[in-house]
């Protein structure tokens, strides 16, 4: 069932409440990364251009409900929006009993997680949100996997009140991109899946094994697959109890593993200052079948990355979630950099998501060449796993 989109609606003169994901890092009142804000701006500008009176809601961080904390206030975001929209932005801390907003005006509401009942999806709070508007717009893909009052509950409440609900521009683009990559992808399909543990990405790997011609695995995930082939991974992080699971996944699709890796001696690593100690540690390239018991795999070698890059160049659809090494430290980032450049140079459709992935894309400056960057973290993974996202399910219900 198709979801009604904001672009299809007449917003003129209507009070429109838009749920965005404006959960950005703020240090000493200064926003240190505006990626999510930039992603939200087109929807906000479109709503204003359509003649709406706009209210914007979001969460920020993990405050204690009922205990407003300045550290988690969205006030700096209001200032940012004022500087990036051709419209005044007013900030309202008290709004559940109603708030005035004029046509052509945008009002940013204080952190929804200050409200008691937000995380528990309170019906009372959901109705309070729905009472604020004529039309509710869900545009926060990054929170679509959470059944909370400002994401799923407000949609149900708005429907019960006879109001329109729809997806915003960003959410619509996210769903279209993911559908293109997962529902009917052009072949061959390749995924890059990194992470410290197979257990955290097990559902993703199992799902992708049914869809992909090849999967590149990195980090601790790759170590489990290497161990499954009989390689001694030394002191590397891996989950021995999931070796059999790795073997089963290898039977379903082509898992691309490195023949060479970059290691450091575990005795040089201070796990209380992991990245700092890696800056000082010696990086050594070794064939995977020549590791000793104190070797920790921290990257794949350039030669192995170049071999894997050949598969990326041939792929028609690429899905990327997770780096293949500790890319934050340059000497252990070559593998991720080579694969990032391969995705950049690929002619296939590419979609990337997850915080570490976006950080690597930013570091290697390939964002403009990736077909679509997903702003969702957990939602991105759950969608790839094939799970039903509560907010999406609620939007579909409105279309029935």
């Amino acid at each position: 069932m198709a979801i009604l989109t904001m672009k299809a609606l007449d917003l003129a003169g209507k009070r429109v409440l838009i749920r965005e994901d404006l959960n950005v890092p703020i240090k000493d009142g200064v926003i240190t990364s505006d990626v999510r804000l930039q992603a939200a701006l087109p929807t906000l500008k479109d709503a204003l251009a359509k003649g709406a009176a706009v209210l914007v809601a979001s969460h920020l961080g993990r405050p204690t409900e009922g205990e407003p904390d300045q550290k988690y206030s969205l006030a700096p975001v209001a200032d940012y929006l004022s500087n990036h929209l051709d419209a005044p932005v007013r900030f309202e801390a008290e709004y559940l009993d109603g708030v005035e907003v004029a046509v052509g005006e945008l009002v940013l509401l204080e952190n929804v997680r200050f409200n008691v009942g937000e995380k528990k999806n309170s019906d009372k709070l959901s109705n309070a949100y729905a009472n604020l508007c004529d039309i509710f717009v869900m545009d926060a893909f990054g929170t679509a996997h959470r059944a909370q009052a400002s994401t799923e509950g407000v949609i149900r409440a708005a429907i019960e009140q006879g109001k329109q609900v729809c997806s915003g521009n960003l959410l619509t683009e996210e769903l279209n991109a993911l559908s293109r990559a997962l529902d009917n992808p052009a072949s061959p399909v390749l995924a890059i899946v990194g992470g410290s543990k197979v257990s955290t990405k097990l559902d993703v790997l199992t799902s992708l094994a049914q869809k992909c011609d090849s999967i590149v695995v990195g980090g601790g995930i790759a170590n489990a697959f290497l161990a499954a082939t009989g390689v001694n991974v030394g002191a590397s992080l891996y989950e021995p109890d999931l070796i059999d699971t790795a073997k089963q996944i290898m039977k379903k699709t082509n898992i691309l593993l490195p023949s060479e890796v970059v290691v450091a001696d575990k005795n040089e690593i201070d796990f209380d200052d992991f990245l700092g100690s890696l800056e000082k540690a010696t990086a050594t390239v070794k064939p995977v079948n020549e590791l000793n018991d104190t070797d920790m795999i921290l990257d794949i070698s350039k030669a192995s990355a170049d071999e894997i890059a050949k598969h990326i160049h041939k792929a028609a659809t690429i899905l990327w979630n997770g780096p293949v090494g500790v890319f934050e430290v340059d000497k252990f980032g070559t593998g991720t950099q080579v694969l990032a450049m391969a995705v950049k140079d690929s002619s296939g459709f590419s979609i990337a998501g997850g915080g570490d992935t976006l950080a690597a894309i930013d570091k290697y400056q390939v964002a403009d060449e990736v077909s679509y960057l997903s702003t969702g973290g957990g939602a991105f993974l759950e969608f790839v796993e094939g799970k039903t996202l509560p907010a999406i399910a609620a939007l579909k219900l409105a279309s029935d």
Side-chain angles (χ1 to χ4, degrees):
M1 178 67 67
I3 294 173
L4 184 65
T5 67
M6 192 183 85
K7 285 188 175 295
L9 294 179
D10 179 6
L11 307 185
K14 302 291 180 62
R15 292 169 60 93
V16 178
L17 173 60
I18 305 176
R19 176 54 159 101
E20 292 288 358
D21 183 2
L22 309 179
N23 183 29
V24 294
I26 299 175
K27 184 176 182 180
D28 298 326
V30 178
I31 296 167
T32 58
S33 172
D34 68 348
V35 172
R36 286 177 174 157
L37 303 183
Q38 286 291 328
L41 285 174
T43 300
L44 304 184
K45 289 179 179 179
D46 196 16
L48 290 170
K50 284 174 170 282
V54 182
L55 301 165
V56 181
S58 178
H59 72 287
L60 192 148
R62 297 178 179 179
T64 301
E65 288 186 3
E67 299 179 16
D69 185 337
Q70 192 63 29
K71 179 172 65 174
Y72 298 109
S73 176
L74 282 165
V77 176
D79 293 337
Y80 177 97
L81 294 178
S82 294
N83 292 328
H84 289 78
L85 293 171
D86 295 326
V89 173
R90 196 170 83 243
F91 182 63
E92 289 288 345
E94 303 293 334
Y95 53 86
L96 292 180
D97 292 328
V99 56
E100 293 297 323
V101 56
V103 169
E105 184 183 19
L106 187 144
V107 175
L108 177 64
L109 309 178
E110 181 59 287
N111 194 339
V112 294
R113 288 188 178 171
F114 288 173
N115 301 324
V116 176
E118 169 63 21
K119 290 186 178 180
K120 291 186 177 180
N121 204 6
S122 156
D123 286 342
K124 179 180 178 181
L125 184 57
S126 298
N127 274 290
Y129 291 142
N131 286 336
L132 296 173
C133 64
D134 302 311
I135 298 172
F136 176 76
V137 180
M138 179 58 181
D139 202 38
F141 178 72
T143 66
H145 62 309
R146 298 190 180 104
Q148 298 183 348
S150 69
T151 59
E152 192 267 354
V154 62
I155 297 174
R156 287 186 293 103
I159 294 171
E160 290 170 2
Q161 293 178 16
K163 296 174 178 178
Q164 289 182 306
V165 298
C166 63
S167 64
N169 300 359
L170 178 59
L171 179 60
T172 302
E173 291 172 2
E174 293 267 7
L175 295 177
N176 288 342
L178 282 164
S179 177
R180 179 174 174 181
L182 297 170
D183 294 344
N184 189 26
S187 295
V189 182
L190 178 143
I192 304 168
V193 181
S196 59
K197 297 180 179 180
V198 171
S199 56
T200 62
K201 301 284 179 76
L202 180 57
D203 290 341
V204 170
L205 290 166
T206 301
S207 176
L208 290 176
Q210 311 297 326
K211 305 172 185 291
C212 295
D213 299 285
S214 301
I215 301 177
V216 180
V217 288
I221 292 174
N223 299 339
F225 281 90
L226 285 169
T229 67
V231 167
N232 170 26
V233 296
S236 306
L237 174 67
Y238 83 109
E239 296 165 291
D241 58 324
L242 288 176
I243 287 178
D244 286 342
T245 301
K247 289 179 179 178
Q248 292 302 313
I249 293 173
M250 292 170 77
K251 292 178 181 178
K252 297 176 182 177
T253 191
N254 179 32
I255 299 294
L256 297 174
L257 292 169
S259 58
E260 282 186 342
V261 291
V262 184
V263 303
D265 191 299
K266 73 172 184 179
N267 296 314
E268 294 185 56
I269 300 172
D270 178 358
F271 290 93
D272 291 328
D273 181 23
F274 187 62
L275 295 180
S277 63
L278 289 188
E279 293 283 2
K280 302 173 185 177
T282 301
T284 305
V285 176
K286 288 188 175 183
V288 294
N289 57 2
E290 294 182 11
L291 304 187
N292 62 45
D293 291 343
T294 63
D295 283 333
M296 283 194 71
I297 300 172
L298 297 167
D299 193 14
I300 63 177
S301 74
K302 184 178 185 306
S304 284
D306 285 340
E307 285 300 312
I308 292 172
K310 294 177 183 177
H311 293 268
I312 295 175
H313 290 145
K314 295 176 184 176
T317 303
I318 303 162
L319 191 146
W320 182 11
N321 177 255
V324 296
V326 188
F327 73 95
E328 296 92 341
V329 179
D330 287 345
K331 69 180 80 173
F332 301 112
T334 300
T336 301
Q337 182 176 18
V338 170
L339 299 194
M341 294 304 171
V343 173
K344 169 182 175 290
D345 294 336
S346 170
S347 60
F349 175 78
S350 55
I351 179 169
D356 287 343
T357 311
L358 297 182
I361 285 171
D362 184 57
K363 178 174 182 176
Y364 301 123
Q365 300 181 351
V366 299
D368 291 345
E369 305 301 327
V370 177
S371 304
Y372 192 81
L373 298 178
S374 174
T375 58
F380 178 87
L381 289 178
E382 290 195 18
F383 195 98
V384 173
E385 290 166 16
K387 292 182 179 178
T388 298
L389 307 187
I392 305 305
L395 287 172
K396 289 181 177 178
L397 180 65
S399 301
D400 288 345

